[in-house]
Amino acid sequence: MRLLRFGKKGKERPGLLDPDGKIRDLGDVIDDLGPRTVDPNTIDFLRALDPWSLPLVDKDVRIGSCISHPGKFVCIGLNYHDHAEETGIPPPSEPVVFMKAVSSIGGPYDDISLIRGSTKSDWEVELGIVIGRHAKYISIDQAADYVAGFCLINDLSEREWQLERGGNWSKGKSGDGYGPVGPWLVTKEDVIDPQKLEMWLEVNDKRMQRGTTADMIFPVTEIVAYLSHCMSLNPGDIIATGTPAGVGLGRNPPRFLCDNDELRLGITGLGEQSYRILKDDI
Ligand code: ZN
């Protein structure tokens, strides 16, 4: 099942894609898609609905982030062998964990304004996990039961704020719009093996990243179990699981985002994102 949110920013309604790929309105069935509605019971209830009975939505409607108001947005750093290699940092022995502000979240086709003065904004295509049940001290074997589904994420990163201005990485990860999530929350039964997904990203039609989740150092189940031992995971929480090689920082010379760049990215079965980069417009 492919769930999504549509409508003006801040006024989105929940929806689903019917078997023809058309958007159907769930707004009269559930309040929203978020922490209170991604639990297994609600997902089962939605799956039992007849999609043809739901109102059809205009295909040109804006698509928002597929999760509303997550409690947290956790990220795993350096989680692909090829990306760790391009950064010159030895692969970590335990997951590198940092937070991205939830205010960074945007829709999958929204233009993105660079952080004011940014000259080192970068891209990171990532597999996102959406948690469906409260998870605390769980094992790797149990982890899949706590996942609601998966989504596409771009963990946009301002490298100067991230790496050159002291403190931890969160400063460079949290700009408004630097966390597009979606277009869809694909529920887990429709993702046969999350460790066998192809992922790619293009800047101005040039392929920059091409990877596979098979290259993860810590796979999805290990990440969920590991995090549950240092923090509670709650329904609606989003985890970005790291990026493969091909980020702008890893190129020689480095290539960072500029005004009018166009980004396009995707992961097998999870849809695509596309948007234009704009200079700070405030
Ligand atoms: Zn990342």
Side-chain angles (χ1 to χ4, degrees):
M1 191 163 51
R2 290 176 292 178
L3 299 166
L4 55 92
R5 295 170 63 251
F6 64 90
K8 288 194 176 129
K9 198 171 177 106
K11 306 259 186 209
E12 292 94 341
R13 288 170 71 84
L16 60 74
L17 281 194
D18 71 22
D20 291 335
K22 292 181 174 155
I23 302 171
R24 300 279 172 167
D25 188 347
L26 286 171
D28 295 331
V29 181
I30 52 171
D31 286 344
D32 203 346
L33 262 185
R36 291 190 298 131
T37 50
V38 293
D39 59 284
N41 288 341
T42 307
I43 299 279
D44 284 348
F45 164 73
L46 295 177
R47 195 179 293 112
L49 295 173
D50 172 10
W52 313 111
S53 70
L54 299 165
L56 191 59
V57 177
D58 186 279
K59 67 177 172 45
D60 295 325
V61 71
R62 172 185 171 271
I63 306 295
S65 156
C66 58
I67 292 289
S68 168
H69 297 94
K72 51 189 174 291
F73 193 173
V74 189
C75 299
I76 306 298
L78 301 171
N79 195 33
Y80 283 72
H81 292 97
D82 62 356
H83 177 56
E85 203 170 296
E86 76 176 340
T87 64
I89 300 171
S93 55
E94 296 201 28
V96 172
V97 177
F98 62 92
M99 294 289 189
K100 206 168 167 80
V102 293
S103 51
S104 71
I105 292 174
Y109 312 111
D110 294 343
D111 289 344
I112 296 172
S113 294
L114 295 174
I115 292 175
R116 183 168 294 179
S118 169
T119 57
K120 294 184 179 176
S121 285
D122 203 346
W123 52 84
E124 297 190 349
V125 59
E126 304 203 6
L127 173 67
I129 305 168
V130 177
I131 295 295
R133 291 169 60 196
H134 177 254
K136 190 168 186 178
Y137 305 136
I138 62 167
S139 67
I140 293 171
D141 290 348
Q142 296 171 305
D145 293 341
Y146 291 80
V147 172
F150 299 93
C151 59
L152 174 63
I153 291 175
N154 189 356
D155 174 23
L156 286 131
S157 307
E158 212 296 329
R159 302 300 187 192
E160 185 187 345
W161 277 105
Q162 180 191 353
L163 301 169
E164 299 172 28
R165 301 188 67 160
N168 68 39
W169 291 0
S170 298
K171 288 192 288 187
K173 297 284 190 170
S174 294
D176 289 354
Y178 276 47
V181 175
W184 314 316
L185 164 60
V186 180
T187 50
K188 63 183 171 189
E189 76 282 355
D190 284 329
V191 179
I192 293 162
D193 185 348
Q195 303 308 144
K196 279 191 185 156
L197 304 176
E198 303 298 315
M199 55 213 299
W200 54 273
L201 181 144
E202 292 175 354
V203 180
N204 302 334
D205 294 327
K206 184 173 176 196
R207 187 66 52 112
M208 296 294 196
Q209 292 190 278
R210 185 195 307 266
T212 164
T213 56
D215 190 42
M216 280 189 191
I217 296 170
F218 303 103
V220 165
T221 52
E222 283 188 40
I223 291 168
V224 172
Y226 182 91
L227 287 174
S228 81
H229 287 259
C230 59
M231 65 185 83
S232 267
L233 296 174
N234 293 307
D237 285 357
I238 301 172
I239 305 166
T241 56
T243 199
V247 300
L249 181 68
R251 301 181 74 81
N252 188 14
R255 161 67 162 95
F256 296 116
L257 292 167
C258 331
D259 196 18
N260 272 325
D261 276 343
E262 286 183 13
L263 263 68
R264 217 159 64 84
L265 52 145
I267 297 183
T268 317
L270 302 185
E272 293 185 11
Q273 299 184 356
S274 61
Y275 25 78
R276 187 180 293 273
I277 301 296
L278 306 174
K279 243 172 43 187
D280 165 38
D281 59 354
I282 299 164

